[in-house]
Amino acid sequence: MLKAKALSKYSGRVIAPLMSNFKESHGVDDFSNFGLNTLNGGNDEYTGETLFWSKQVGNIPQGNFIHHKYGNIQWNNMVHGNSRGAFYLSNGHYSSNSNDKSTRELPKKLLRNIPEFVKIVEVGPRDGLQNEKDIVPTAVKVKLIKLLVSSGLPVVEATSFVSPKWVPQLADAKDVMEAIRNVEGARFPVLTPNLKGFEAAVISGAKEVAIFASASESFSKSNINCSIEDSLIRYRDVALAARKLSIPVRGYISCVVGCPVEGMVSPSKLAYVAEQLCDMGCSEISLGDTIGVGTPGTVIPMLEAVLAVVPIDKLAVHFHDTYGQALSNILASLQMGISTVDSSVSGLGGCPYAKGASGNVATEDVVYMLNGLGVKTNVDLGKLMLAGEFICKHLGRLSGSKTATALSKTTIAYASKL
Amino acid sequence: MIVSYLSTTMSSMEEPLGFDKLPSMRTIDRIQRFSATACRPSGEEMGMGNCWIEGMSCSTSNHYDEDHDEYTWEAFPWQRHTRDMSQGETFYRRTKSLGRNHMMFGNTHEKYNSKCNDKDIRNITNKFWKGIPRFVKIVEVGARDGLQNEKATVPTSVKVELIHRLVSCGLSVVEATSFVSPKWVPQLADAKDVMEGVRNLEGARLPVLTPNMKGFQAAVAAGAKEIAVFASASEAFSKSNINCSIEESLTRYRAVTQAAKELSIPVRGYVSCVVGCPVEGEIPPSKVAYVAKALHDMGCFEISLGDTIGVGTPGTVVPMLEAVMAVVPVEKLAVHFHDTYGQSLSNILISLQMGISIVDSSVAGLGGCPYAKGASGNVATEDVIYMLHGLGVQTNVDLTKLLSVGEFICKHLGHPSGSKTAVALSRVTADASKI
């Protein structure tokens, strides 16, 4: 009980010290610039409220603000222009104590190549939803897409023009495209497996398409019943048709690190496929770790192999979080200079190879890390979380994003939880 | 279901899949195909004859900087799709990327090297690998930090069994329990009994938490050979959590470390809230450095830096580590990240690059976050091991055995594992005919 009392004395003062900390350390008088508003997205649910510390589990305080504060720490870095400079600013306090020169140089090397801006390609409405058992109504899909666009995501994969026989979930591709016809602020690529799908996509108003090859021969054969070479021939037709209509084409490569059939995938094969996609006119190549087995130990050599044949600004990484490795793989990729990352809101889309295991990496978690690194994304985490909440509510399940889970839960403090 | 998956991940075809044409793979075939030897490139491809040097460490250095001809190989654990597959020998492969050595991909890579200026890439990858240690010590905190945050009280016998099993995986440090007042941590009220149960356990060190002299004495009486103390980098958190200021807690711990020194008992120092505090918000790295140094100066042989609420990212972790490394040697530092925001593995990765070689983790990710109900807490040991092994870092931990330990405790607790690696490996059914 004493503990609870001791704790409660902090409840009223929580907000004040937080604010003053920000003021002092960042010299900003007007908190509206802090991204607090951006984080809130104008939604009262996330406004700062008094933190009440309680020992009981049941007494749910409104402690959302505490966690959002960390969003603010990140936002602070972004607000500061040269965001990376902010990190080294605080170093000034103790830099004079440092007599170890190598320590001083190291972090710069580690973070130097990380791009200032990373484009997030949101694949939730397509890659995410297509793995859902229950058919999601068109209206829900459209609302999801609109919510995602409003969070600032520059690219949202809208749907796929595959045969409804194989992907019933996306049978309403045409209707989805119709409904988002006038949505501005983002690009809406769609998958097109062949010329027929491409034509249907164009009729529906698609302005950007994507095609899907594999780095693994076995996977290609077992999955689309044709060799890599045959699939590339098919896609050259699509790419050619697209070029005539000035429609950009994105090339996906699956199994870039490992294949459920072949095991390890040869980087030279991967580089070959990447080169072919690039040569046929793909403006971007997304490298997918389809079964999520990669670690920086395999990702880095994989990227090296592809970088030998494709310029880095055309590359994107598409990691699955099946083994929990996605964020560290993304970090390693950023250190290599990759500046486009695919992700899925709330981590929608499980792994088809391991029932119950996770699949796509959650956009919220990626944005959280990028914010923390001072990398610009133009994505508003608060609004993004709203989109995630919306779709998870509809699907009737918990978010696959740890960031979203943490930020949406109210805080409970235990005195002795050491 | 499978059909729809197939056509969804790949650009789909309109013709039906010829499932009957797909090879079926018996378990034994799969094992053979994915075994270490099957995946091992041949000598010529390796560009160095048929020489495989297994598991020899050629120097005492723990860093990659030096040129070593150490090639050990590990079959990708994810290829062991069946759980009854015997582990056999495992070797650890250190990935040689362009920047260091071309051998991994042999001659096939040459074709692509000449096509672009890979010197820049080489520089980048060199920097990536440079600081990463060869060996990382895992400090397993599941039995203490993990269990204490679990609602259901775990019987002593299960705790003891858990510790035994963890040790059998190769974990060299397994935090056993905590000598805090049972009033605050009822889960660990059986500390004495747990210590009794692990009295003769060899092969690992079994540190215990001791919040004060009283706890220390009880720990010693119970047979503890190593202890840990817990300070905070946040004044507010210290006050709210252990009801005293940071300074007061340090004074208290000086007494404990002094007493421990007299008995030649090593003391580990924990620092909590090293990045952020639920009360104060952002924590200045200088404060963390101050507390870490104080613990180090009073005699702690190791300082574990804890991101208690899991808010850190490399952007905040790096300055924090920089500050601490300026005052405490890096080999004495451990990182203790929480995965509340899913950030721990990337934080661990950047810490390794900074030269950190000790990582705390909890089997199956036991131990939720006390500050966000339902959110996760400790990072899962299995996920950490998966990444470390993938990086070619040695840990001496057997992942397969660890997986079964995680299963054991989760079964008892009645909830799924918090480790994605464990979940994936327990459910992967990659049988060619299923694709």
Side-chain angles (χ1 to χ4, degrees):
Chain A
M1 277 308 115
L2 272 170
K3 298 282 181 190
K5 266 193 187 164
L7 292 171
S8 67
K9 74 184 177 194
Y10 290 101
S11 58
R13 289 171 25 207
V14 160
I15 305 303
L18 290 171
M19 295 304 199
S20 61
N21 278 350
F22 287 142
K23 265 192 181 168
E24 282 146 23
S25 53
H26 302 283
V28 174
D29 290 336
D30 182 359
F31 287 100
S32 62
N33 289 336
F34 258 69
L36 238 180
N37 291 337
T38 3
L39 187 63
N40 293 344
N43 183 333
D44 286 339
E45 201 177 330
Y46 295 113
T47 49
E49 288 161 333
T50 308
L51 181 73
F52 175 74
W53 295 78
S54 159
K55 268 191 93 166
Q56 291 92 12
V57 174
N59 264 358
I60 300 300
Q62 307 85 6
N64 291 345
F65 183 80
I66 282 303
H67 288 287
H68 286 275
K69 171 170 38 58
Y70 297 101
N72 290 347
I73 288 175
Q74 301 169 341
W75 287 102
N76 291 343
N77 292 329
M78 283 182 56
V79 163
H80 275 263
N82 175 14
S83 41
R84 269 189 290 259
F87 304 140
Y88 297 100
L89 238 122
S90 58
N91 288 359
H93 293 305
Y94 50 82
S95 60
S96 55
N97 291 334
S98 170
N99 48 18
D100 183 2
K101 189 150 182 261
S102 59
T103 321
R104 303 293 312 129
E105 289 166 1
L106 196 53
K108 289 185 183 130
K109 281 185 205 159
L110 295 177
L111 303 175
R112 183 191 289 151
N113 285 316
I114 294 183
E116 300 220 341
F117 178 85
V118 160
K119 178 178 77 181
I120 299 211
V121 173
E122 171 60 45
V123 301
R126 196 275 310 166
D127 194 5
L129 290 186
Q130 80 184 10
N131 284 308
E132 293 294 325
K133 258 194 307 200
D134 300 324
I135 304 289
V136 176
T138 307
V140 174
K141 286 183 184 128
V142 170
K143 179 151 185 206
L144 173 64
I145 293 173
K146 287 181 174 166
L147 284 171
L148 290 168
V149 173
S150 76
S151 74
L153 288 160
V155 183
V156 178
E157 216 173 47
T159 187
S160 185
F161 282 83
V162 296
S163 167
K165 237 191 314 176
W166 303 124
V167 192
Q169 176 71 266
L170 304 179
D172 61 353
K174 224 170 52 153
D175 302 326
V176 169
M177 294 307 287
E178 178 59 38
I180 63 173
R181 194 176 268 279
N182 298 319
V183 177
E184 287 181 356
R187 287 155 42 198
F188 299 112
V190 299
L191 247 61
T192 54
N194 46 37
L195 213 42
K196 185 169 166 192
F198 174 75
E199 283 156 7
V202 170
I203 291 170
S204 300
K207 306 251 180 355
E208 196 168 320
V209 298
I211 53 182
F212 236 102
S214 178
S216 152
E217 192 66 55
S218 325
F219 192 76
S220 187
K221 286 200 177 114
S222 71
N223 214 342
I224 54 174
N225 214 24
C226 67
S227 67
I228 295 178
E229 215 42 63
D230 288 343
S231 72
L232 291 175
I233 292 171
R234 191 189 290 175
Y235 298 141
R236 279 190 200 98
D237 289 341
V238 175
L240 191 58
R243 197 181 324 161
K244 291 190 182 141
L245 296 171
S246 301
I247 288 180
V249 182
R250 185 186 219 227
Y252 278 98
I253 307 182
S254 62
C255 295
V256 299
V257 174
C259 164
V261 186
E262 275 181 17
M264 196 174 146
V265 170
S266 146
S268 55
K269 191 78 194 201
L270 165 63
Y272 169 74
V273 176
E275 198 180 11
Q276 292 301 308
L277 289 174
C278 201
D279 287 351
M280 73 172 72
C282 288
S283 54
E284 193 168 273
I285 316 279
S286 172
L287 306 169
D289 178 11
T290 307
I291 45 177
V293 292
T295 63
T298 40
V299 164
I300 300 236
M302 180 275 291
L303 287 175
E304 280 180 325
V306 179
L307 285 170
V309 295
V310 178
I312 197 165
D313 49 337
K314 289 194 171 185
L315 290 179
V317 288
H318 185 116
F319 292 116
H320 278 187
D321 205 37
T322 318
Y323 289 72
Q325 308 295 311
L327 278 191
S328 41
N329 288 338
I330 290 172
L331 177 63
S333 305
L334 294 174
Q335 289 179 316
M336 294 281 285
I338 296 285
S339 60
T340 307
V341 175
D342 297 0
S343 59
S344 177
V345 65
S346 295
L348 286 184
C351 177
Y353 294 105
K355 188 169 182 284
S358 67
N360 286 308
V361 65
T363 308
E364 297 93 318
D365 298 355
V366 175
V367 170
Y368 187 92
M369 180 173 77
L370 292 174
N371 286 352
L373 282 165
V375 172
K376 293 199 182 82
T377 59
N378 289 345
V379 176
D380 179 326
L381 183 56
K383 288 184 179 165
L384 177 64
M385 281 172 51
L386 289 176
E389 259 181 52
F390 164 76
I391 191 63
C392 286
K393 194 166 174 185
H394 175 86
L395 294 171
R397 79 160 72 102
L398 300 170
S399 175
S401 156
K402 286 195 172 184
T403 294
T405 305
L407 286 174
S408 69
K409 297 293 183 189
T410 43
T411 51
I412 303 160
Y414 293 98
S416 56
K417 282 278 179 182
L418 264 181
Chain B
M1 176 66 165
I2 292 152
V3 168
S4 66
Y5 164 69
L6 281 169
S7 46
T8 56
T9 32
M10 310 304 291
S11 52
S12 148
M13 54 288 151
E14 295 158 312
E15 311 81 25
L17 284 172
F19 279 121
D20 51 343
K21 298 186 196 134
L22 293 169
S24 71
M25 219 191 246
R26 294 177 305 136
T27 303
I28 190 74
D29 291 338
R30 194 184 309 130
I31 291 172
Q32 283 171 350
R33 176 173 300 193
F34 297 146
S35 70
T37 48
C39 292
R40 184 185 295 172
S42 70
E44 306 80 69
E45 285 170 31
M46 298 298 280
M48 45 161 324
N50 289 317
C51 173
W52 283 91
I53 303 172
E54 298 163 10
M56 281 167 50
S57 54
C58 309
S59 98
T60 52
S61 161
N62 198 19
H63 287 268
Y64 276 80
D65 295 8
E66 294 151 35
D67 239 325
H68 281 267
D69 285 337
E70 183 180 332
Y71 304 116
T72 47
W73 179 269
E74 180 186 48
F76 291 101
W78 52 269
Q79 290 174 344
R80 302 183 205 113
H81 296 301
T82 53
R83 290 173 40 217
D84 57 2
M85 178 175 165
S86 58
Q87 176 79 6
E89 292 171 75
T90 55
F91 304 100
Y92 298 98
R93 172 173 60 111
R94 175 174 313 149
T95 305
K96 303 286 190 181
S97 53
L98 248 191
R100 297 175 60 80
N101 191 315
H102 291 264
M103 56 153 287
M104 185 167 123
F105 304 122
N107 295 326
T108 50
H109 220 26
E110 301 303 331
K111 175 179 174 218
Y112 292 95
N113 291 343
S114 58
K115 280 202 173 184
C116 85
N117 175 12
D118 62 2
K119 185 161 177 262
D120 293 333
I121 302 174
R122 199 172 300 159
N123 283 338
I124 295 172
T125 55
N126 266 340
K127 281 170 200 157
F128 179 87
W129 294 112
K130 198 170 156 64
I132 298 183
R134 292 168 174 274
F135 178 85
V136 160
K137 177 176 80 179
I138 303 267
V139 173
E140 170 62 43
V141 301
R144 195 275 308 167
D145 193 7
L147 290 186
Q148 84 182 14
N149 283 310
E150 294 285 332
K151 259 193 303 197
T153 304
V154 178
T156 308
S157 58
V158 174
K159 288 184 183 126
V160 170
E161 175 73 26
L162 173 64
I163 295 170
H164 273 89
R165 290 190 187 209
L166 287 168
V167 173
S168 77
C169 294
L171 288 158
S172 60
V173 184
V174 177
E175 218 172 46
T177 186
S178 184
F179 283 83
V180 296
S181 166
K183 239 190 315 173
W184 303 125
V185 191
Q187 176 73 271
L188 305 179
D190 60 354
K192 222 170 55 149
D193 303 325
V194 170
M195 292 310 286
E196 184 57 43
V198 299
R199 190 177 272 280
N200 297 321
L201 186 49
E202 288 181 357
R205 287 156 37 200
L206 306 168
V208 301
L209 246 63
T210 56
N212 46 36
M213 275 307 285
K214 189 170 162 193
F216 172 71
Q217 283 152 358
V220 171
K225 306 253 182 351
E226 192 168 317
I227 61 159
V229 297
F230 233 100
S232 178
S234 154
E235 192 65 56
F237 190 77
S238 189
K239 287 200 177 114
S240 74
N241 216 342
I242 52 176
N243 216 20
C244 66
S245 69
I246 295 178
E247 239 11 271
E248 283 163 0
S249 72
L250 291 174
T251 304
R252 192 189 292 175
Y253 298 141
R254 278 192 197 97
V256 173
T257 47
Q258 182 58 31
K261 203 184 305 185
E262 280 159 19
L263 295 171
S264 302
I265 289 179
V267 184
R268 185 187 218 225
Y270 278 98
V271 184
S272 64
C273 295
V274 298
V275 174
C277 163
V279 187
E280 278 183 19
E282 203 177 341
I283 298 294
S286 52
K287 196 72 192 217
V288 183
Y290 170 78
V291 177
K293 182 172 195 301
L295 289 172
H296 180 244
D297 288 350
M298 75 173 68
C300 290
F301 77 98
E302 194 169 281
I303 315 287
S304 172
L305 305 167
D307 178 14
T308 308
I309 47 178
V311 292
T313 63
T316 39
V317 165
V318 167
M320 180 275 293
L321 286 177
E322 262 191 315
V324 179
M325 281 162 63
V327 295
V328 177
V330 68
E331 56 270 14
K332 294 195 174 185
L333 294 175
V335 288
H336 185 118
F337 291 116
H338 279 188
D339 205 42
T340 319
Y341 288 71
Q343 308 294 311
S344 54
L345 278 191
S346 40
N347 289 337
I348 289 171
L349 178 63
I350 203 89
S351 302
L352 296 176
Q353 291 177 319
M354 297 277 288
I356 298 285
S357 60
I358 309 168
V359 175
D360 297 359
S361 60
S362 176
V363 63
L366 288 184
C369 178
Y371 299 101
K373 185 170 181 283
S376 68
N378 286 307
V379 64
T381 308
E382 299 93 319
D383 296 357
V384 175
I385 297 287
Y386 186 91
M387 180 172 78
L388 292 176
H389 288 183
L391 285 166
V393 172
Q394 286 186 16
T395 61
N396 288 346
V397 177
D398 181 329
L399 181 57
T400 308
K401 285 186 182 163
L402 185 62
L403 291 174
S404 54
V405 180
E407 256 184 61
F408 160 76
I409 190 62
C410 287
K411 192 167 174 185
H412 177 86
L413 292 169
H415 66 60
S417 175
S419 156
K420 287 197 172 184
T421 294
V423 170
L425 286 174
S426 71
R427 298 190 196 180
V428 166
T429 52
D431 180 334
S433 61
K434 279 213 180 218
I435 301 177

